[in-house]
Amino acid sequence: MTMSSTPNSRRTEQTGQPADRDRSVERPESAGQGPEQEKAAEPTGRDLGEVERLRARVEELEDLWRRALADLDNLRKRMARELETQRRAQRAEATAAWLPVLDDLERALQHAESDPASVVEGIRSVRDRAVATLRDLGYPRRDDLGVPFDPARHSAVAVRTDSDVPPGTVVEVHQPGYGDDENQLRPALVSVSGKAGD
């Protein structure tokens, strides 16, 4: 009995199986995912370890963030307390600076009862002490005459024609100012010379 040499009946020399069975075992590359690709899609032990490491890092950063917020809130409260303490100390210092002025007023009143003529002198003494106290607190008196008008230091309430001084000169101080250019308590109220015909 002779064997047919048709392709279906041809056996491979190596396996002894029909050739078409060999072809059926072969899988084209374009067909769906193979077992190797399916395994690659599933997380491996190394991937799971990386996920856990990243999760732990996120928790650590969240903890640091919460601590930073708490520290910032504590700093804000501490600064508010310190600011209030400084304000109280400054108010006490400024108030204490005025106590000698109050003492002078009381002495002037006591002398006024025994010697009414001394009232003027007592008031002048109290005024001088008050001016000195303002100067010591950083607000020197500004009541200069004959100086050029400076809008940063003066507030003009009137303009007067005066041929003896150049225009724009302070010719009268109605109310003294206190403070310097950078730390002014109030400007001086002044009258200023103007050109004839203004």
Side-chain angles (χ1 to χ4, degrees):
M1 179 175 171
T2 60
M3 298 192 65
S4 171
S5 61
T6 61
N8 289 338
S9 61
R10 189 182 312 140
R11 299 176 181 275
T12 61
E13 297 177 358
Q14 298 170 345
T15 61
Q17 299 294 326
D20 57 351
R21 186 174 293 179
D22 290 341
R23 281 196 300 274
S24 67
V25 174
E26 295 175 1
R27 294 178 184 238
E29 294 180 6
S30 61
Q33 293 183 343
E36 295 81 4
Q37 292 174 330
E38 291 176 1
K39 288 180 180 177
E42 297 176 0
T44 64
R46 184 170 56 184
D47 292 338
L48 290 175
E50 182 69 10
V51 168
E52 289 302 320
R53 188 187 68 78
L54 291 175
R55 185 173 290 132
R57 180 61 176 159
V58 167
E59 290 176 0
E60 179 186 356
L61 292 175
E62 286 179 348
D63 182 61
L64 290 173
W65 174 66
R66 291 189 193 95
R67 289 173 185 265
L69 284 181
D71 289 344
L72 182 62
D73 189 52
N74 290 337
L75 177 63
R76 181 185 59 79
K77 292 177 181 176
R78 185 171 68 249
M79 292 298 293
R81 287 193 301 268
E82 290 178 1
L83 181 60
E84 182 58 29
T85 300
Q86 289 178 356
R87 285 176 177 168
R88 282 198 300 267
Q90 289 172 350
R91 285 195 297 267
E93 183 180 355
T95 304
W98 284 99
L99 290 178
V101 177
L102 182 61
D103 294 338
D104 286 349
L105 280 172
E106 290 180 349
R107 278 192 290 271
L109 290 173
Q110 289 172 357
H111 290 298
E113 294 175 359
S114 60
D115 183 10
S118 66
V119 172
V120 174
E121 187 61 32
I123 291 175
R124 185 176 292 112
S125 174
V126 172
R127 190 274 318 268
D128 293 343
R129 175 68 70 103
V131 170
T133 300
L134 283 169
R135 183 193 63 233
D136 293 342
L137 291 172
Y139 301 103
R141 183 181 176 109
R142 309 295 287 265
D143 57 356
D144 302 326
L145 289 172
V147 298
F149 175 78
D150 181 355
R153 296 168 46 192
H154 304 122
S155 180
V157 296
V159 177
R160 296 183 183 173
T161 301
D162 193 335
S163 59
D164 295 336
V165 296
T169 301
V170 174
V171 294
E172 184 177 356
V173 178
H174 302 284
Q175 188 178 67
Y178 291 92
D180 53 27
D181 296 337
E182 297 180 357
N183 192 25
Q184 185 168 248
L185 194 59
R186 77 175 186 197
L189 299 182
V190 300
S191 290
V192 183
S193 62
K195 294 180 181 178
D198 283 356

